[in-house]
């Protein structure tokens, strides 16, 4: 992998990740952009104990542009975009309309391929491995920023999810705090460790799930399963079999196998609802241990946390979505329309030949 860092016209950082070591990236951003000004602010909810990012500048962000005006495609001739070069393998850049900025963290865009009409599932094993390497590199770099406590790599796919740019891409949020969902896991982890004299809850969950009927696919180094208490109609958790706290700690064997397992999982997601259906909308979310202090979770260290990816769709059946209504949005109590056992069975049924 070759990494080349440059700057866009407004000062934002852009990084090319290339498969070939002899690739030259010297294209200049020719757009007449002014420096980006953001109004991102973190506000603490003292009743719920969580935080809200207020980012009013995002109201003017690019919204469903036609394909020939996509800002994530490479620059071609006089059609200028966020990527100055005429091609790329993987590229990462600071979001022009970030939810988090400055002392409030950082937001980056990850473009998986220059092919506008592709998806992550269309990538080759080599291309998917390059994305993994980019995620890992950005996790390392962002973790050293003084304002960053947790790094979150994720992909939103599909208009139903709320995606406004159809080019295959994901994002990275570098939060200045430990996110509420991670905090819940850490509290459960701490409670089980104290109650049992050292048991790791992640290890226990993985061991139990691998013995159940909800396993979707399993490799030598990775395992994917529908969790016992899945929140979403089709939800899969992907774990490395050797517990590590973050992407940086994956060994070479796990890195080599990941693209094969993940690509197969995504392709199965696209076949859940049968032929003729539009691509399955999904969210793919990496859960990594925070880089900040963990004193609030007594007895827990970063090494106790288990890196894993959670993949889920809001489509519950053909032509129907799972909406977060009163119980989910008002009380955070999910009601799942699809039994997890049946979801796992369906994901096994659609295995590719």
């Amino acid at each position: 992998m070759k990494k080349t860092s440059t700057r866009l016209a407004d000062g934002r950082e852009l990084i090319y990740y290339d498969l070939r070591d002899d690739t030259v990236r010297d294209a200049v951003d020719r757009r007449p952009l002014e420096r980006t000004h953001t109004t991102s602010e973190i506000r603490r909810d003292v009743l719920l104990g969580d935080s809200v990012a207020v980012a009013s500048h995002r109201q003017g962000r690019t919204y469903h542009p036609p394909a020939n005006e996509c800002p994530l495609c490479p620059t071609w001739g006089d059609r200028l975009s966020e990527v100055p070069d005429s091609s790329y393998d993987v590229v990462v850049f600071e979001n022009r309309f970030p939810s988090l900025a400055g002392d409030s963290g950082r937001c980056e865009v990850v473009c998986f391929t220059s092919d506008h009409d592709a998806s992550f599932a269309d990538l080759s094993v080599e291309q998917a491995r390059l994305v993994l390497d980019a995620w890992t590199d950005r996790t390392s770099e962002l973790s050293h920023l003084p304002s960053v406590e947790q790094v979150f790599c994720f992909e939103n796919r599909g208009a139903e999810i709320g995606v406004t740019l159809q080019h295959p891409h994901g994002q990275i949020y570098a939060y200045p705090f430990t996110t509420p969902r991670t905090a819940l896991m850490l509290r459960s982890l701490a409670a089980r460790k104290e109650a049992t004299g050292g048991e790791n809850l992640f290890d226990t969950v993985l061991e139990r799930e691998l013995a159940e009927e909800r396993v979707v696919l399993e490799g030598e180094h990775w395992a994917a399963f529908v969790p016992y208490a899945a929140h979403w109609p089709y939800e899969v958790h992907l774990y490395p079999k050797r517990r590590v706290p973050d992407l940086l700690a994956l060994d070479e064997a796990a890195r080599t196998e990941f693209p094969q397992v993940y690509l197969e999982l995504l392709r199965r997601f696209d076949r859940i609802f049968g032929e003729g259906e539009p691509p399955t909308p999904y969210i793919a979310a990496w859960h990594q241990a925070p880089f900040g202090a963990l004193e609030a979770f007594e007895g827990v260290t970063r090494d106790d946390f288990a890196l894993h990816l959670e993949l889920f769709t809001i489509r519950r059946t053909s032509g129907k979505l799972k909406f977060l209504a009163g119980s989910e949005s008002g009380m955070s109590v999910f009601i799942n329309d699809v039994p997890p056992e049946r979801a796992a069975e369906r994901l096994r049924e659609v295995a590719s030949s």
Side-chain angles (χ1 to χ4, degrees):
M1 177 187 78
K2 181 181 180 182
K3 176 183 176 182
T4 306
S5 179
T6 184
R7 292 282 171 178
L8 296 174
D10 56 6
R12 288 176 294 131
E13 184 178 19
L14 179 143
I15 307 161
Y16 294 98
Y17 293 90
D18 287 295
L19 292 168
R20 292 173 55 95
D21 290 337
D22 59 353
T23 303
V24 177
R25 299 294 186 187
D26 55 7
V28 176
D29 185 3
R30 293 180 281 133
R31 295 173 298 171
L33 298 180
E34 296 182 356
R35 286 272 174 176
T36 300
H37 298 285
T38 63
T39 56
S40 181
E41 175 188 1
I42 300 297
R43 296 189 180 186
R44 182 76 172 171
D45 186 321
V46 296
L47 288 177
L48 295 180
D50 60 11
S51 299
V52 175
V54 179
S56 58
H57 63 277
R58 285 173 51 80
Q59 287 281 34
R61 66 188 184 274
T62 309
Y63 187 80
H64 291 297
N68 63 352
E69 296 179 14
C70 175
L72 307 185
C73 287
T75 287
W76 190 257
D78 292 331
R79 196 191 69 77
L80 309 179
S81 76
E82 288 281 68
V83 185
D85 217 321
S86 59
S87 67
Y88 62 83
D89 292 334
V90 173
V91 69
V92 177
F93 57 87
E94 289 183 74
N95 198 320
R96 189 177 177 186
F97 304 97
S99 301
L100 309 167
D103 293 339
S104 297
R106 177 158 156 154
C107 292
E108 298 183 340
V109 176
V110 184
C111 297
F112 305 138
T113 171
S114 59
D115 185 352
H116 179 85
D117 298 317
S119 69
F120 200 115
D122 295 323
L123 301 182
S124 67
V125 167
E126 186 180 34
Q127 289 173 310
R129 168 61 190 265
L130 184 60
V131 175
L132 174 63
D133 290 342
W135 282 333
T136 304
D137 180 71
R138 297 315 302 151
T139 296
S140 175
E141 292 291 328
L142 293 171
S143 71
H144 290 96
L145 296 179
S147 63
V148 172
E149 190 165 312
Q150 185 171 356
V151 179
F152 176 46
C153 306
F154 65 100
E155 178 190 2
N156 298 330
R157 205 271 290 264
E160 299 95 327
I161 296 294
V163 176
T164 57
L165 298 176
Q166 298 309 310
H167 194 104
H169 72 287
Q171 299 183 63
I172 303 175
Y173 277 21
Y175 297 102
F177 51 80
T178 297
T179 62
R181 189 173 178 85
T182 302
L184 286 173
M185 295 184 196
L186 291 169
R187 282 197 286 271
S188 296
L189 192 63
R192 178 61 65 94
K193 189 173 185 179
E194 181 180 13
T196 61
E199 177 188 331
N200 185 283
L201 184 56
F202 282 115
D203 292 349
T204 300
V205 167
L206 182 58
E207 181 181 357
R208 289 177 179 174
E209 291 289 1
L210 291 180
E212 296 291 340
E213 58 182 310
R214 293 179 300 279
V215 175
V216 174
L217 58 89
E218 185 176 357
E220 183 179 354
H221 304 284
W222 293 86
F225 57 87
V226 178
Y228 171 75
H231 289 58
W232 299 95
Y234 290 90
E235 175 182 341
V236 176
H237 293 189
L238 178 61
Y239 276 72
K241 290 185 176 179
R242 182 180 70 87
R243 172 167 44 90
V244 294
D246 52 40
L247 290 165
L248 284 69
L250 288 172
D251 60 25
E252 184 56 33
R255 292 183 182 280
T256 299
E257 186 181 81
F258 169 78
Q260 305 165 51
V261 175
Y262 187 48
L263 288 172
E264 171 62 17
L265 193 58
L266 290 178
R267 290 162 186 167
R268 292 191 192 188
F269 253 61
D270 272 343
R271 293 193 291 270
I272 294 173
F273 303 105
E275 294 184 7
E277 286 291 319
T280 302
Y282 66 73
I283 292 174
W286 279 109
H287 292 263
Q288 306 191 78
F291 290 94
L294 298 179
E295 286 86 354
F297 312 100
E298 188 173 351
V300 170
T301 68
R302 290 194 78 250
D303 289 336
D304 290 322
F305 195 86
L307 167 77
H308 63 284
L309 182 142
E310 297 184 7
L311 172 69
F312 60 89
T313 179
I314 62 172
R315 188 179 292 165
R316 56 187 175 87
T317 190
S318 180
K320 297 179 181 179
L321 301 180
K322 164 64 179 177
F323 291 102
L324 300 190
S327 186
E328 292 89 354
S329 295
M331 283 294 160
S332 295
V333 178
F334 275 69
I335 300 170
N336 193 348
D337 305 291
V338 180
E341 292 72 22
R342 174 54 190 152
E345 181 181 22
R346 178 58 182 157
L347 285 163
R348 291 192 298 268
E349 289 174 351
V350 298
S352 61
S353 59

